Amino acid sequence: MKMPEPGESRVGYAAGLFQSGYNCAQSVFAAYADLFGMDRQTALKMSSAMGGGVGRMREICGAVSAMAMLAGLKEGNDDPENEEAKARIYALVRRMSGQFREKEGTIICRDLLGIEGMEESARPSVRTAEFYATRPCARLIAEAAEIIEEVLL
């Protein structure tokens, strides 16, 4: 899959990363991390743990976690005494998550997937045509990517 040209939307690229086997967080984070100074391999490794609602625990959606991590790359605070900067990044993450919640009803993975509680196994689901057809993840990834392009770019 070819990386979009500079200035082109990466929404479809992010959804395509999911379709090629990456988890939701990786798909969103790796689609944009280079714009904020991070190489693809580091981006994929860093975001890999956030998939499946953080370690497949079905908590916060990986696409939402990736939005927060990208916000941190762009606007994050590195001074523990700068309370204003802390408030700014938290407000940005709340804004982006709020937009996602407004459109999808929740930012919780299990609720988005319509499943009860945490998965018993940490082993990811086998990626089949049926898997992709029954999961809303590609749409949720596109939603997160649209928010990133509107708010961060």
Side-chain angles (χ1 to χ4, degrees):
M1 177 178 334
K2 183 178 170 281
M3 175 73 85
E5 295 296 322
E8 286 184 347
S9 172
R10 296 186 180 195
V11 173
Y13 179 68
L17 288 173
F18 177 74
Q19 298 290 348
S20 71
Y22 291 106
N23 71 40
C24 296
Q26 288 175 306
S27 300
V28 173
F29 193 69
Y32 296 95
D34 68 297
L35 298 176
F36 305 107
M38 184 177 285
D39 66 273
R40 178 184 167 91
Q41 183 178 14
T42 302
L44 289 167
K45 285 182 177 184
M46 184 174 167
S47 57
S48 65
M50 305 310 284
V54 184
R56 205 162 185 265
M57 292 186 290
R58 303 302 183 198
E59 297 294 338
I60 293 188
C61 170
V64 174
S65 294
M67 286 193 308
M69 293 189 312
L70 288 163
L73 281 178
K74 182 175 184 193
E75 302 287 341
N77 171 44
D78 61 1
D79 178 356
E81 307 215 2
N82 188 339
E83 298 300 321
E84 187 58 38
K86 289 178 188 180
R88 240 186 348 266
I89 189 61
Y90 294 159
L92 179 59
V93 169
R94 284 174 168 224
R95 175 181 167 202
M96 295 171 74
S97 297
Q99 284 183 243
F100 187 94
R101 183 184 290 113
E102 189 175 298
K103 290 182 180 172
E104 300 300 335
T106 185
I107 63 169
I108 303 299
C109 176
R110 69 178 152 269
D111 295 339
L112 291 163
L113 296 180
I115 61 175
E116 296 283 325
M118 186 171 93
E119 300 280 356
E120 287 187 29
S121 172
R123 184 168 300 284
S125 302
V126 177
R127 299 290 182 97
T128 63
E130 182 181 331
F131 171 89
Y132 288 114
T134 59
R135 292 290 169 118
C137 301
R139 179 178 54 77
L140 300 173
I141 288 163
E143 184 66 52
E146 288 171 4
I147 293 168
I148 289 161
E149 293 189 7
E150 175 190 326
V151 176
L152 296 183
L153 301 188

